[in-house]
Amino acid sequence: MSEPVDYPALILKRGEDARLRAGHAWVFSNEVDVQRTPLTEFAPGQACAILDSREKPIGVGYVNPHSLICARLVARGLEHALDKSLFVHRLNVALSLRERLYDEPYYRLVFGEADGLPGLTVDRFGDVLVAQTTTAGMERLKEPIAEALVKTLKPAALWWKNDAAVRALEGLPSYADLGYGDGALPLEAREGGLRFAVDPVGGQKTGWFYDQRANRDLLARFVAGKRVLDVCSYLGGWGLRAASMGASEVVCVDASADAVEAIAANAERNGLAGSVSAVRADAFDHLRALREARERFDVVILDPPAFVKRRKDLSEGKQAYRRLNELGMQVLARDGILVTCSCSYHMPRTLLLEGIQLGARHLDRQAQVLVQLQQAPDHPVHPAIPETDYLKGYILRVLPA
């Protein structure tokens, strides 16, 4: 039996341990008994032992006194220090799932709380890793995390892509740099037999959106021989997959000049340049222009960035999703297929579908849900942590009423 860790105690108020004991990992600042354990006595990211009001241990975590989520639970009980040994164990558990799911080493290796490592994301691109810390606790533990990643996976390189906006809430700086090994760029993501050039420094998130892979796998039955519009394309994941599955023509639309250039290069790289074109334009503006030009597509794919980043944005964001979907339906051919997604955690699945239905009725259309979409299994959902279940979407058939 190992000795319990000797970390400073963070004591919760009476009854505030219920959510943690039910499986969640977050402690909010108003749940801490600050009379007994003042938050001001902790440094940002400091390791702690989380105790209930009777001072019975719940587990080990870390604190940020300046954040609304002031602590996160990493390990239950007091037997495991926040060190390289714990990270190696958690990484091996995470790796065993991904190796069961995928034939090639291209996937999300660590998905924060769902993999028992709150505040840490790691994507794998062959022998290169791209990691992101979003909390002061994980930022402080970067060195043992890097050592554990190198020991477990023996990568050629490890990049830190620490520029997520959420880091500002933790008082953390924004940067992207090489943490280990050979930093040759660009990287390569592989999906569905295609190869995509990925930039972990200048690109979005960690460079690629593995969370949509399983959903893109479903396109084959809908796109063969069809004209496809891919809106908010980024590097062309949806559009190029559709082209590889036999779409007769694919038009990709993105507001970023770099993304449009990358789509063209990725189409060329995969021998799809003859059927894929890319347009730089605002999604809403371009859909309106296509509607005015009476352009029609057999399949329209809408995969926008999050319109609801905070709960207070829900009303405005809900309307944005409705407008986007209504515009998408207006450029659909008769009996067309609409693929639509939301990566906004604060946008409930029911509200997304409600907006689609309102848009369909406004256009005198009938929508049929064919498939409900969710994040790929390398982004597992923790049943006790609803925040891990963020991606939702639908594949719908849209008919005249």
Side-chain angles (χ1 to χ4, degrees):
M1 191 76 176
S2 59
E3 290 292 316
V5 297
D6 185 20
Y7 289 152
L10 183 76
I11 301 175
L12 305 183
K13 294 176 183 175
R14 183 178 178 181
E16 299 293 1
D17 58 314
R19 191 177 65 258
L20 293 181
R21 295 199 187 281
H24 212 294
W26 297 357
V27 176
F28 291 91
S29 56
N30 63 357
E31 297 171 341
V32 176
D33 188 336
V34 294
Q35 300 301 315
R36 297 158 78 187
T37 52
L39 282 169
T40 52
E41 293 186 358
F42 291 91
Q46 184 176 356
C48 68
I50 301 174
L51 313 180
D52 67 15
S53 62
R54 295 167 296 173
E55 299 193 24
K56 290 187 176 180
I58 299 170
V60 172
Y62 55 76
V63 181
N64 187 347
H66 307 307
S67 177
L68 176 62
I69 304 172
C70 71
R72 299 184 196 236
L73 181 67
V74 180
R76 296 184 182 273
L78 302 182
E79 291 77 33
H80 301 289
L82 302 185
D83 58 14
K84 175 183 171 182
S85 176
L86 175 63
F87 295 132
V88 167
H89 171 69
R90 293 284 165 87
L91 289 171
N92 278 319
V93 173
L95 180 62
S96 69
L97 170 65
R98 279 66 181 188
E99 290 184 334
R100 198 181 315 170
L101 293 170
Y102 303 109
D103 295 330
E104 291 186 300
Y106 296 86
Y107 40 70
R108 173 146 295 182
L109 173 65
V110 174
F111 182 47
E113 284 82 351
D115 284 303
L117 292 168
L120 179 66
T121 297
V122 183
D123 280 351
R124 188 175 187 185
F125 300 91
D127 62 357
V128 178
L129 303 176
V130 181
Q132 185 174 87
T133 58
T134 55
T135 59
M138 282 303 182
E139 182 79 3
R140 192 161 169 160
L141 293 164
K142 267 180 60 180
E143 186 174 333
I145 290 169
E147 291 173 356
L149 285 166
V150 170
K151 178 177 180 178
T152 306
L153 292 130
K154 300 177 175 54
L158 165 63
W159 284 93
W160 290 104
K161 183 71 182 330
N162 283 335
D163 60 357
V166 70
R167 284 173 57 90
L169 300 177
E170 292 271 323
L172 298 173
S174 177
Y175 66 91
D177 64 17
L178 183 65
Y180 169 83
D182 177 9
L185 295 175
L187 308 184
E188 183 177 276
R190 296 184 187 177
E191 181 181 312
L194 303 182
R195 297 158 52 236
F196 297 85
V198 171
D199 179 3
V201 177
Q204 296 180 28
K205 304 291 185 179
T206 49
W208 184 247
F209 291 91
Y210 283 124
D211 55 358
Q212 289 281 23
R213 169 168 34 191
N215 297 330
R216 290 190 282 253
D217 289 345
L218 301 174
L219 283 177
R221 71 187 78 174
F222 301 108
V223 300
K226 305 298 184 182
R227 190 179 192 218
V228 176
L229 177 67
D230 174 17
V231 180
C232 303
S233 299
Y234 185 41
L235 302 181
W238 287 97
L240 268 67
R241 291 292 306 275
S244 73
M245 294 169 177
S248 59
E249 179 190 0
V250 177
V251 178
C252 295
V253 181
D254 200 277
S256 164
D258 289 341
V260 168
E261 185 177 322
I263 291 165
N266 282 326
E268 186 73 34
R269 172 190 295 252
N270 290 285
L272 298 170
S275 58
V276 176
S277 61
V279 179
R280 183 189 180 189
D282 173 81
F284 291 90
D285 291 343
H286 195 65
L287 284 168
R288 291 187 190 99
L290 290 170
R291 178 189 64 192
E292 296 305 313
R294 298 187 179 278
E295 292 275 4
R296 296 292 180 267
F297 296 84
D298 303 298
V299 180
V300 172
I301 301 165
L302 307 173
D303 186 15
F307 291 150
V308 187
K309 295 190 188 320
R310 298 163 298 181
R311 191 181 301 277
K312 68 178 185 178
D313 300 329
L314 179 58
S315 179
E316 184 179 344
K318 181 174 67 172
Q319 293 305 316
Y321 282 113
R322 177 189 164 171
R323 287 197 306 272
L324 184 67
N325 282 288
E326 193 167 317
L327 285 166
M329 284 185 268
Q330 287 178 305
V331 299
L332 265 180
R334 188 182 185 89
D335 198 1
I337 296 294
L338 178 69
V339 181
T340 183
C341 304
S342 167
C343 60
S344 301
Y345 163 69
H346 293 294
M347 179 71 179
R349 178 179 289 275
T350 52
L351 283 187
L352 178 63
L353 186 58
E354 179 184 295
I356 295 166
Q357 173 64 6
L358 287 171
R361 295 310 307 138
H362 185 249
L363 300 173
D364 202 22
R365 308 277 175 90
Q366 174 190 352
Q368 298 174 324
V369 174
L370 308 181
V371 183
Q372 296 194 53
L373 305 177
Q374 64 182 45
Q375 63 220 48
D378 55 352
H379 294 63
V381 174
H382 191 307
I385 307 179
E387 292 82 2
T388 61
D389 185 13
Y390 69 96
L391 183 66
K392 69 280 296 183
Y394 297 95
I395 299 177
L396 306 109
R397 182 189 190 198
V398 181
L399 299 160

